[in-house]
Amino acid sequence: MPMDGTTHTPIDTKIAALLEGLEANSVIVVVTNASGFIEHANQKFLAATGFPQEEIIGRSLECFGELEPEKRQGLLAHLRDGTEWRGGFKIRKEGGDHFWMEAAVFPSQGKDGLLSHFVTVAEDIGERKRTEETVRLLAFYDNLTELPNRRLFNDRLNQAIIRNLRDRELLAVMSVDLDRFKNVNTVHGHALGDRVLRILARRMLGDLRISDTLSHYSGDCFKLLVPQINRIENAAAVAEKLLRLLAEPVVLDGREVYVTASIGVAIFPFDGEDAAT
């Protein structure tokens, strides 16, 4: 909210009555003056943030809230127009952590008809956000390796093709197949085999660029998207490096497990101009 000053405007009886009614509910309530400085914060807000009241009253709500630039502009536009705004944003807690808050901000006019206060009524939606993040992870990431799954990989590949068509750049798609990995499961058991897969995934991931996407595509198969390569030879160099990394033994519980791999490489646009090809 704007920080134009800290002039205190008495809270009128209408807001006072509203606050009295809201205190009985388990909602967060914050009242600021027309300049965005906090004049009232209920116990729910104090408990959620961990700040004592004396550190909150008189400070701008902006000191505690984080809002994306686009949402912030929309909020300010509503407040300038004296209209209600609804949306979600993060609130800073004492110690630096944050929690998500779903809020409605209502303007209030004084007896003179001028804008005097904003009343923010909100609820902590952190648990909902955590649930949404869990669902997102289940939908787009492999549970075993925590790498992007087939669905997310294909989506990123399609997006990369569109971008590279526009920019006339090359990209590489690699299929990394672990040779006879079933033997590892047979000899050492599936639990140890899963641990080997996780270690190999981290090993490969640690040697790639941020822009690359490594996916656990199926049981013993990984897919790698390398966008924006300058020459075909660059893709070959990446593949050779991965083969060397995968050939190094995995040491678990005092045992050395050796895995080799085969890598197939396709180059866009020479080997195809769509993801399926």
Side-chain angles (χ1 to χ4, degrees):
M1 295 185 183
M3 299 175 65
D4 300 328
T6 57
T7 304
H8 178 78
T9 304
I11 296 176
D12 63 22
T13 54
K14 180 176 64 175
I15 296 180
L18 174 64
L19 294 178
E20 186 177 349
L22 289 173
E23 287 296 343
N25 300 313
S26 58
V27 293
I28 292 168
V29 182
V30 179
V31 180
T32 68
N33 63 16
S35 298
F37 290 85
I38 299 172
E39 295 189 355
H40 172 84
N42 71 345
Q43 287 301 317
K44 185 73 174 179
F45 182 82
L46 300 179
T49 61
F51 287 103
Q53 192 172 54
E54 57 268 21
E55 291 189 25
I56 289 177
I57 302 301
R59 297 181 67 183
S60 170
L61 190 53
E62 280 191 338
C63 295
F64 304 97
E66 285 189 15
L67 201 60
E68 295 94 334
E70 299 80 8
K71 283 188 176 181
R72 185 177 185 276
Q73 291 303 316
L75 169 60
L76 293 177
H78 276 274
L79 300 189
R80 282 192 293 266
D81 294 341
T83 56
E84 174 190 337
W85 178 88
R86 291 178 180 270
F89 55 91
K90 289 195 293 186
I91 290 289
R92 181 170 62 88
K93 301 170 68 173
E94 187 178 34
D97 291 335
H98 294 80
F99 70 93
W100 278 95
M101 196 168 81
E102 188 75 34
V105 183
F106 304 92
S108 178
Q109 296 177 342
K111 293 179 180 179
D112 55 6
L114 299 177
L115 184 65
S116 63
H117 293 90
F118 293 105
V119 180
T120 298
V121 181
E123 63 175 332
D124 183 348
I125 57 169
E127 188 60 40
R128 192 179 85 192
K129 283 288 182 180
R130 286 188 287 273
T131 300
E132 290 173 355
E133 178 64 14
T134 300
V135 171
R136 186 186 73 84
L137 289 173
L138 290 174
F140 295 109
Y141 289 85
D142 172 58
N143 188 48
L144 175 63
T145 63
E146 298 182 353
L147 292 176
N149 61 16
R150 181 188 302 233
R151 179 180 178 184
L152 182 55
F153 179 85
N154 289 338
D155 180 68
R156 289 185 180 177
L157 175 56
N158 280 306
Q159 294 300 318
I161 287 174
I162 293 170
R163 184 169 57 251
N164 284 33
L165 273 172
R166 181 194 63 207
D167 299 336
R168 298 181 181 277
E169 293 181 320
L170 305 178
L171 69 80
V173 173
M174 303 186 191
S175 181
V176 183
D177 295 292
L178 304 181
D179 300 329
R180 296 179 295 279
F181 189 76
K182 289 181 180 178
N183 293 343
V184 174
N185 289 327
T186 301
V187 174
H188 301 287
H190 286 276
L192 188 139
D194 288 347
R195 292 168 66 191
V196 170
L197 281 175
R198 285 193 290 268
I199 290 172
L200 295 178
R202 288 197 298 270
R203 188 182 289 179
M204 287 188 286
L205 193 62
D207 211 64
L208 298 173
R209 304 175 304 174
I210 294 177
S211 57
D212 300 336
T213 296
L214 179 66
S215 166
H216 186 205
Y217 215 70
S218 61
D220 56 3
C221 177
F222 294 85
K223 291 280 195 276
L224 174 62
L225 166 63
V226 185
Q228 298 170 313
I229 59 174
N230 297 323
R231 300 181 302 160
I232 294 176
E233 291 79 6
N234 293 356
V238 172
E240 290 170 359
K241 186 186 299 184
L242 290 180
L243 287 175
R244 289 195 298 271
L245 286 172
L246 293 171
E248 296 175 4
V250 176
V251 181
L252 286 173
D253 302 332
R255 290 175 287 183
E256 289 188 345
V257 179
Y258 288 88
V259 177
T260 59
S262 304
I263 299 181
V265 183
I267 304 294
F268 168 88
F270 303 121
D271 298 315
E273 296 189 357
D274 60 75
T277 305

